[in-house]
Amino acid sequence: MKLPDVISSPQSKRIKNAAKLLKRRDRKATGQFLVEGPQAVREALARKGSVVELFITEEAAEEHSSFFSTAKHGRMQCSIITPEVLTELASTVHSQGVVAVCRALDVELTSVLDKEAQLVVVLSQVRDPGNAGTIIRLADAAGADAVVLTSSSVDVYNDKVVRSTAGSLFHIPVVTGVGLSEVTELARARGLQVLAADANDEAHDLHHPWDTGLDLTARTAWVFGNEAWGMSAGDLELCDSSVAVPIYGSAESLNLGTAAGVCIYESARNQRM
C-alpha cells in the first residue's frame, strides 16, 4: 500500500485548522467536528458525504487499510501523521491513531417529527457529554427514529459525546438547538404522546402502565431531563404524562443513562408486540 506524504509538524496549517475543532465556537463557525478512533471513523466513512478529511498514523493505516480505499473513492483528503502530530488532534490519552474531520449532521425538526415517526428521544437540559452520547447510542440500538437535543443541552459534537455514541451519531437523525415547547407542540400535532421520565408523585409506573391507562404501544416522544435536578415544573407541564422507573431494591435512584435505556426499550418492545 502506497502511503501519502507524512505530516510531521504540528504547525501545519491543516493540522492547526483541524485542531481548532476541539473548541465549540470553531465547530459552530465551520459546521465541522472531529471524530476519533477506528470504530467511529468507520461509521463516518460509511455515511456518504460525512467525512471531509482523514488523518491517520502509519501504524493505524497498516491496520485499517480499507480507510484509504474508502477515502480515495470518496475523494476525501487523507494524510499520514506522526504520533506527535496526532496529540494535537486527539482528545484521548491513548489514541488509536485515526481522526476524521466531519461535516455537522444536524437535521430539521420537521423532517423527523412526521406522521411516520414511532419513537423519538428528547434530551432537555442534559449537560453531561457521556450521558448524551450513551442515550444517542441507546436510541440507535432500540430503533428510535431520531434524537432531539434542546438548545439548553450539551453540544452534540463535543468530543466526549461523539466518542460515547460509538458511531451511532452517524446512524440516527439528530436535531439540535430547539426549544422543548417547540418539540412537544410539534410531536403532539403529529400524533405522538409526550412522556416525561420523572419520578414525581403523579408519575405512572413504567412496569404497570395498564393500572393508570398509559399506552406504551402508542407512538411516543420520550423526554429526559437534567442529571442533577430532573425535569422542571415548567418542562413537565409541556408533557402529557410523567413516567417513573420502579425501584425494587434500596438504591436511591438510577442514573440518567440507565433510566433512559429502560424507558426507551420498554417503548420499543411494546411497539413491536
Side-chain angles (χ1 to χ4, degrees), residues 42 109-110 184 186:
R42 185 176 294 108
L109 183 64
T110 52
T184 56
L186 183 59

Side-chain angles (χ1 to χ4, degrees), residues 87-148:
T87 62
E88 299 294 314
L89 305 178
S91 58
T92 58
V93 176
H94 302 292
S95 180
Q96 294 177 278
V98 57
V99 176
V101 175
C102 295
R103 295 181 177 89
L105 305 167
D106 300 22
V107 297
E108 294 295 324
L109 183 64
T110 52
S111 72
V112 297
L113 275 181
D114 57 24
K115 294 182 179 180
E116 303 301 320
Q118 292 292 318
L119 180 59
V120 175
V121 176
V122 184
L123 305 186
S124 178
Q125 301 190 61
V126 172
R127 308 289 172 78
D128 182 81
N131 280 334
T134 294
I135 295 172
I136 291 171
R137 186 177 181 181
L138 280 165
D140 177 26
D145 295 285
V147 176
V148 180

Side-chain angles (χ1 to χ4, degrees), residues 29-93:
T30 62
Q32 297 179 344
F33 66 105
L34 295 181
V35 175
E36 181 183 346
Q39 172 61 26
V41 170
R42 185 176 294 108
E43 300 304 323
L45 288 168
R47 179 165 170 164
K48 187 176 180 180
S50 294
V51 176
V52 176
E53 187 167 10
L54 186 67
F55 297 100
I56 190 166
T57 63
E58 188 169 350
E59 181 180 0
E62 295 290 348
E63 184 176 354
H64 305 286
S65 57
S66 64
F67 288 0
F68 272 105
S69 57
T70 303
K72 183 178 180 180
H73 181 73
R75 297 182 178 180
M76 307 165 202
Q77 181 75 51
C78 190
S79 301
I80 295 294
I81 58 175
T82 62
E84 292 73 24
V85 171
L86 177 66
T87 62
E88 299 294 314
L89 305 178
S91 58
T92 58
V93 176

